[in-house]
Amino acid sequence: MIDKVILIENSIINHKKQTKMKVEINTPLPIDQIDFRIQSINKGKYATILAYKDSRVDMNRLDEVFGIFGWQKKYDLINGNLFCSVGIWHKETNQWIWKQDVGTESMADKEKGEASDAFKRACFNLGIGRELYEYPIISVLLNDSEVMQSGDTFKASWNLKLKEWKWQSEFTEGKLSKLVGVDNHGKERFKYILGAKPENKKTPEEPKQDLNPKGNPKVKLVLATPKYVELAGKLMSKEITIEAIKDYYSLSEEVETALKTNIK
C-alpha cells in the first residue's frame, strides 16, 4: 500500500515537472530577443516588417529549460534537403525525444544559412518562438526620406534606422495582445491591440534645410550689414553674379530686390 502511494506521488511530481517544462519552452520570447527587418516596400511606400528569431535565442532557451547537457542536435541530408533534428532527453522514459524540420538556403551563406534555418524550424516544432506565427502583419507607412527608388522598385534609405527602433509587446494567456513600434526619434510608428485594427503612422518630415553647393546651410543675408555691403559692391563691379550670391546666402524678397539695383 505504501509503495502504491509513493508511486502515485512520484507520478504526480513528474507530471508537474513536465507541465512546468512545457510552459517554459512555450513561454513567448521577450521582445528584446526578437529581431525585425524590412521584407518589402510597395509603391505606396508601405514597408512590410518581418519579426524573427535567430538560432542563438533557440540555444539559450534550450539551455535554460533543459540544461546544456539535456539537448542535442543532428543533421541529415534527405533527398538533397538538409534536415535538423533537435533531441530532448526525457528522464522519465530514459530516451531522447526528437523534433525535425527542413531548412531553406540563405542568400548570404548557402550551407550555413540552410543549417541555421533547419535548426530554428525544428525549435519552432518544440514551441520556441511559436507565437511569432501569430504576430500581425506589420505594415508601416514610411516617410519620403526613408525610401529610395531604383527603377520600379523601392528600398529603404539610410534614414530608416529600423535597428534603432524600440518595440514593446504584451501577452494575455500566451497570446500576443499588444505590439508597439517606436522609431529612433521617439515617434510611435506602429501599434497593434488584439481585436483592433493595426495603426501605422507617418511621422512629420523635418523641414529641409536650404544648403549651399558644399552641403552647408545657407547664411541669411541681412540689409545694411557689412557682408551685404561687401556683396553689393562686388555685384556692382561684376565680380560676382546674383545667382552666385543666392547659391551661398538665403535672400528675402526685400534683400534680393535691393541687390538687383546694383546690377548695371
Side-chain angles (χ1 to χ4, degrees):
M1 182 66 179
I2 294 176
D3 291 340
K4 185 176 181 181
V5 172
I6 293 173
L7 181 62
I8 292 173
E9 286 180 349
N10 286 338
S11 178
I12 292 172
I13 291 171
N14 291 335
H15 175 72
K16 287 182 176 178
K17 285 182 179 180
Q18 291 304 311
T19 302
K20 186 174 185 290
M21 184 178 292
K22 182 179 179 182
V23 170
E24 288 179 347
I25 198 70
N26 286 283
T27 298
L29 296 170
I31 197 67
D32 59 2
Q33 294 183 16
I34 303 298
D35 291 320
F36 296 84
R37 66 174 174 83
I38 298 293
Q39 186 177 44
S40 63
I41 300 175
N42 65 21
K43 292 182 179 180
K45 299 180 182 177
Y46 278 89
T48 299
I49 298 175
L50 180 68
Y52 66 99
K53 62 183 172 79
D54 65 28
S55 57
R56 288 170 296 182
V57 169
D58 292 309
M59 289 186 280
N60 289 337
R61 176 58 65 89
L62 289 168
D63 286 347
E64 179 183 1
V65 177
F66 302 105
I68 59 174
F69 301 113
W71 68 277
Q72 63 172 308
K73 62 177 178 176
K74 63 180 181 180
Y75 292 92
D76 298 289
L77 198 61
I78 303 174
N79 295 328
N81 297 312
L82 187 64
F83 282 77
C84 178
S85 300
V86 176
I88 305 301
W89 180 250
H90 192 258
K91 294 180 180 179
E92 282 65 38
T93 58
N94 200 36
Q95 64 179 338
W96 290 96
I97 306 299
W98 295 91
K99 296 290 185 179
Q100 185 185 67
D101 213 323
V102 66
T104 57
E105 296 177 3
S106 167
M107 295 289 289
D109 190 328
K110 178 180 176 181
E111 293 181 358
K112 183 179 178 181
E114 190 174 2
S116 177
D117 188 60
F119 173 62
K120 288 187 290 185
R121 286 172 180 264
C123 289
F124 270 126
N125 291 336
L126 285 169
I128 303 176
R130 196 177 293 172
E131 72 280 358
L132 289 172
Y133 288 118
E134 299 175 356
Y135 268 45
I137 296 175
I138 305 175
S139 180
V140 175
L141 179 59
L142 301 180
N143 297 319
D144 292 340
S145 62
E146 295 173 325
V147 183
M148 295 187 299
Q149 185 172 1
S150 177
D152 294 330
T153 62
F154 292 83
K155 60 181 181 179
S157 74
W158 291 106
N159 292 317
L160 181 59
K161 310 289 186 181
L162 185 60
K163 289 194 175 295
E164 297 179 20
W165 287 26
K166 304 297 182 183
W167 295 86
Q168 304 164 11
S169 64
E170 292 180 10
F171 291 84
T172 303
E173 297 181 354
K175 300 288 185 180
L176 181 70
S177 56
K178 183 178 181 181
L179 181 66
V180 177
V182 178
D183 69 17
N184 50 303
H185 300 295
K187 305 291 185 181
E188 186 179 288
R189 301 295 294 274
F190 179 83
K191 185 176 183 179
Y192 164 79
I193 302 292
L194 183 63
K197 183 179 179 181
E199 301 176 18
N200 58 72
K201 302 175 182 179
K202 182 178 180 180
T203 60
E205 295 273 15
E206 294 290 333
K208 292 184 179 180
Q209 287 185 306
D210 200 7
L211 305 178
N212 63 33
K214 293 183 179 180
N216 299 317
K218 292 182 180 180
V219 178
K220 184 178 181 180
L221 189 62
V222 181
L223 279 173
T225 58
K227 179 57 68 174
Y228 171 84
V229 174
E230 177 190 347
L231 293 173
K234 289 183 177 182
L235 192 61
M236 185 177 293
S237 62
K238 298 184 178 180
E239 293 179 53
I240 58 174
T241 63
I242 188 71
E243 287 73 20
I245 294 175
K246 290 172 71 174
D247 279 343
Y248 287 88
Y249 295 89
S250 176
L251 310 181
S252 66
E253 186 176 346
E254 181 185 12
V255 171
E256 184 174 352
T257 301
L259 284 173
K260 286 180 177 178
T261 61
N262 297 286
I263 301 175
K264 295 183 179 179

